[in-house]
Amino acid sequence: MDDTPEPEPARTLLGLQTMTPRQQLRAGRLPRRLTQLFVGLTVFGLSMAMLIRGGLGMIPWDVFHYGVASHVPLTFGTVAIITALVVLLLWIPLREVPGLGTIANAVWVGVAVDVFLALLSAPDGLLARIGLMVGGIVLNAVATALYIGAQFGPGPRDGLMTGLARRLPVSMRVIRTAIEVVVVLVGWLLGGVVGIGTVLFALSIGPLTQLFLPPLVVRVDPPSSPTPRQARET
């Protein structure tokens, strides 16, 4: 009789599973999850456009995107897509595996933000600008919870953060802060807009996402652990 204890199931956070791309597609509730993924990514693009048009400070990575876009003949969204694809290349030495949501995030958000930038104009009044800033921050948290809750993998920048956290002897919070300080500084030097909105976003996006995430996580079947033979054949 084999007395070897069964391996404990992987711990999950709020029902979020760690899955390969194949497992993501086989986990069930696919129409609901795909719809939620692309709604979330679209709303994410809208939130970015709102903060840009508000003119009171951008999302840290958008400070970088805006700074680069002001020096090249490319749209803001195109720069965001190229940046995301470059970040994905950094996943290779970190041995991170992108999911469907990762690739969709890299492309769809950039397209969405260009569309909404064309539809939104910068308001004149301070109250309207504050409204765009606050609304953009809240919508960004909702959008983040939507696409993470769809369980198709992290975005390119999120994966860079988690990949570094697994391999460096520092906390994820320190790594995220360091990455965002660098991109904000470089973006600001290139002409990106840093303001009160940037600070408020940095301080509030974590708590707001944590608030919206639990009801938006789509429960799926946990991935089964492959046998050694299956692992060799994969």
Side-chain angles (χ1 to χ4, degrees):
M1 180 176 179
D2 186 2
D3 295 328
T4 304
E6 291 290 330
E8 294 184 4
R11 295 177 62 189
T12 62
L13 176 64
L14 301 175
L16 293 170
Q17 306 285 344
T18 300
M19 297 183 283
T20 66
R22 180 179 295 181
Q23 289 170 333
Q24 291 168 5
L25 293 173
R26 293 180 173 179
R29 309 185 70 180
L30 197 58
R32 155 72 191 277
R33 291 166 56 221
L34 284 171
T35 300
Q36 180 168 316
L37 170 67
F38 283 98
V39 168
L41 296 179
T42 302
V43 175
F44 198 97
L46 172 60
S47 71
M48 292 165 62
M50 290 172 66
L51 282 160
I52 292 169
R53 292 298 186 229
L56 297 175
M58 303 173 182
I59 296 171
W61 274 97
D62 286 353
V63 177
F64 175 78
H65 299 149
Y66 192 92
V68 173
S70 64
H71 294 277
V72 296
L74 298 172
T75 66
F76 177 91
T78 302
V79 171
I81 292 171
I82 293 172
T83 301
L85 296 176
V86 171
V87 170
L88 275 178
L89 292 177
L90 298 178
W91 282 35
I92 296 174
L94 296 174
R95 298 183 180 178
E96 293 291 297
V97 179
L100 174 61
T102 310
I103 306 302
N105 185 303
V107 178
W108 192 267
V109 170
V111 174
V113 70
D114 271 350
V115 170
F116 288 116
L117 283 174
L119 295 175
L120 292 175
S121 57
D124 295 326
L126 179 60
L127 189 60
R129 293 168 65 193
I130 292 174
L132 280 178
M133 176 189 70
V134 174
I137 292 173
V138 174
L139 274 183
N140 190 274
V142 173
T144 301
L146 280 168
Y147 83 73
I148 289 177
Q151 307 227 46
F152 281 111
R157 298 158 187 83
D158 300 324
L160 175 63
M161 174 186 66
T162 55
L164 288 172
R166 290 192 186 99
R167 287 158 180 81
L168 297 177
V170 292
S171 70
M172 189 178 300
R173 178 168 52 186
V174 171
I175 289 173
R176 175 167 183 165
T177 301
I179 291 173
E180 295 194 347
V181 166
V182 170
V183 296
V184 166
L185 179 59
V186 173
W188 176 70
L189 292 173
L190 291 173
V193 180
V194 179
I196 185 62
T198 311
V199 177
L200 287 177
F201 180 90
L203 293 176
S204 63
I205 193 62
L208 284 173
T209 301
Q210 186 173 352
L211 173 67
F212 294 124
L213 186 57
L216 293 175
V217 174
V218 182
R219 304 291 170 171
V220 297
D221 297 328
S224 57
S225 300
T227 64
R229 179 178 177 181
Q230 290 173 326
R232 290 194 300 269
E233 293 175 349
T234 301

